Amino acid sequence: MLLALLLFIFAIDLLTVAMSHLNNEVAENILFATRNPFVSLFIGLLMTALIQSSSTVTASVVAVVASGHLSLEQAVPMVMGANIGTTLTSTLVSFSYIMNRKEFKRALSAGILHDLFNIFTVIILLPLEVYFGFLSKLSISIASLFISDESYSGPVVYNKVFTRPITEWISSTIGIPFLTMILSVFLVFAAIKLLSSSVYKAFVLDNFQNINNLIFKNPFMACVYGTFFTAAVQSSTVTTSLIVPLVANKKVSLKKAFPFIIGANIGTTITAAIAAIYKTEAAIALAIVHFLFNLIGAMIFLPFPTIREIPVRLSVYMGEKSVKSRFLGFAYVLLTFFIIPFLLIYFSND
């Protein structure tokens, strides 16, 4: 576990160094691609959908922001997109039950519920961010409490990570910043997977059945458990994918599982927080954005049973419709994760 954590910090620092060494042309391409918030949203969504880990994407975005090649305002929609993209995994897990109509209906409803929570939160918070800078300004205010220097722009690193001499040596040895960046992204992904599996085996696997009866009794406690498990395994994908078979096999109802999913979204923000250690104020602010996005989403749905019922009922409805025609399930995945984002990008072009 300690080895995985050290590898993660090393990989993030290597990514930061690689991004800071990229030439101005590459930096300008990154800035141009993310200037439009809808494009930025889709980049985060697509990247996460492809590598199946929002933790990797958000940690990488934090490193890019720390290098000074991406502004906080441009990175916020990307983090939002990563939150939607990570839900693809639990939805795909539900398709393993496609041969059994009843189980498939329940499983798909559980997978879609995770999607809807993030989609609704993005629908609420993205306009507030685009027009008022709600999340970025709030996060900068909070981040200023942790760093004495109020400036957050530019590729300034206030404190160097203890791995910096090694990462700088590797970067200079390779000599190709883009290749170093690709290597570091793979290392980040490997570190998160290693940390996830080690903590999962140590704390979750053996004890999950014993505490299963306690987890879902109270919605607020279910949220706490979801937060704890996800923070431990560094992946909301792991914990939410656990919910799909539980719901499919009637071990827990969809209504009781929802608070656990909400907690999982909060718990996954620990990765960005670790990635922001010793980075610029903008990087710390982005980690705070990731936390605030999921926390505000939780505050919207968790305390109010009536509001909590909306995504639950909608996911059940979509599950029922998808069972009647298996094609609808696949169409939903294509529309949500590919076609609709492309349409948003198309219509948002100046």
Side-chain angles (χ1 to χ4, degrees):
M1 194 186 308
L2 180 61
L3 177 64
L5 184 59
L6 291 174
L7 178 62
F8 177 73
I9 295 173
F10 167 78
I12 289 296
D13 191 43
L14 182 61
L15 182 59
T16 301
V17 171
M19 289 301 301
S20 65
H21 291 166
L22 283 176
N23 59 45
N24 291 331
E25 183 180 352
V26 175
E28 288 174 2
N29 289 335
I30 294 173
L31 293 175
F32 180 79
T34 57
R35 191 171 296 141
N36 187 307
F38 293 104
V39 176
S40 183
L41 180 77
F42 177 66
I43 290 173
L45 193 160
L46 183 60
M47 286 172 62
T48 310
L50 290 175
I51 67 175
Q52 304 275 302
S53 175
S54 64
S55 296
T56 302
V57 173
T58 52
S60 300
V61 173
V62 165
V64 176
V65 170
S67 71
H69 282 140
L70 194 66
S71 71
L72 176 65
E73 291 77 9
Q74 291 168 326
V76 170
M78 194 176 294
V79 170
M80 292 184 178
N83 274 269
I84 297 176
T86 193
T87 64
L88 173 63
T89 309
S90 55
T91 305
L92 292 178
V93 168
S94 65
F95 282 93
S96 62
Y97 295 89
I98 197 167
M99 300 307 294
N100 186 309
R101 291 177 64 89
K102 292 183 179 180
E103 289 185 353
F104 178 59
K105 180 181 73 174
R106 293 190 293 266
L108 187 60
S109 296
I112 290 175
L113 182 58
H114 190 202
D115 306 346
L116 292 178
F117 170 70
N118 285 284
I119 291 171
F120 282 150
T121 307
V122 167
I123 290 173
I124 294 169
L125 293 181
L126 183 60
L128 293 176
E129 172 60 28
V130 171
Y131 293 107
F132 305 106
F134 173 68
L135 287 175
S136 54
K137 290 179 180 177
L138 180 59
S139 64
I140 289 169
S141 300
I142 298 174
S144 64
L145 301 175
F146 297 95
I147 296 181
S148 57
D149 191 338
E150 294 184 357
S151 174
Y152 69 94
S153 61
V156 180
V157 180
Y158 296 97
N159 297 288
K160 289 187 178 181
V161 188
F162 61 90
T163 59
R164 183 55 56 87
I166 302 175
T167 54
E168 287 182 341
W169 177 79
I170 291 175
S171 180
S172 61
T173 301
I174 294 175
I176 305 174
F178 182 75
L179 184 60
T180 307
M181 182 185 69
I182 297 297
L183 173 64
S184 60
V185 169
F186 276 108
L187 286 176
V188 170
F189 185 70
I192 290 175
K193 285 296 183 182
L194 181 61
L195 192 59
S196 171
S197 60
S198 61
V199 178
Y200 177 72
K201 290 176 182 177
F203 298 107
V204 180
L205 190 60
D206 295 334
N207 300 315
F208 190 79
Q209 290 299 326
N210 296 330
I211 63 176
N212 188 26
N213 295 329
L214 300 175
I215 291 177
F216 302 103
K217 281 188 176 181
N218 181 283
F220 292 96
M221 286 307 299
C223 181
V224 170
Y225 276 117
T227 303
F228 171 76
F229 285 146
T230 308
V233 301
Q234 297 280 290
S235 174
S236 60
T237 298
V238 173
T239 47
T240 53
S241 294
L242 282 173
I243 291 297
V244 172
L246 289 175
V247 173
N249 295 315
K250 284 188 172 182
K251 290 187 177 180
V252 61
S253 68
L254 193 63
K255 183 178 179 180
K256 290 183 177 180
F258 188 31
F260 185 88
I261 293 173
I262 293 175
N265 271 40
I266 298 175
T268 194
T269 62
I270 190 66
T271 309
I274 296 173
I277 294 176
Y278 301 121
K279 297 297 190 296
T280 64
E281 184 174 337
I284 294 174
L286 183 61
I288 295 172
V289 164
H290 193 206
F291 173 74
L292 288 176
F293 173 83
N294 290 291
L295 179 63
I296 293 172
M299 292 171 63
I300 292 172
F301 289 97
L302 190 60
F304 310 105
T306 304
I307 297 178
R308 208 162 60 232
E309 280 287 326
I310 296 173
V312 172
R313 290 184 178 180
L314 185 56
S315 62
V316 170
Y317 173 79
M318 293 174 69
E320 290 174 349
K321 291 296 181 182
S322 298
V323 166
K324 293 179 180 178
S325 175
R326 302 292 205 281
F327 172 76
L328 288 177
F330 293 101
Y332 164 78
V333 171
L334 291 174
L335 284 169
T336 303
F337 297 99
F338 300 100
I339 296 175
I340 290 178
F342 272 120
L343 289 176
L344 287 175
I345 292 171
Y346 177 78
F347 286 115
S348 65
N349 287 334
D350 294 331

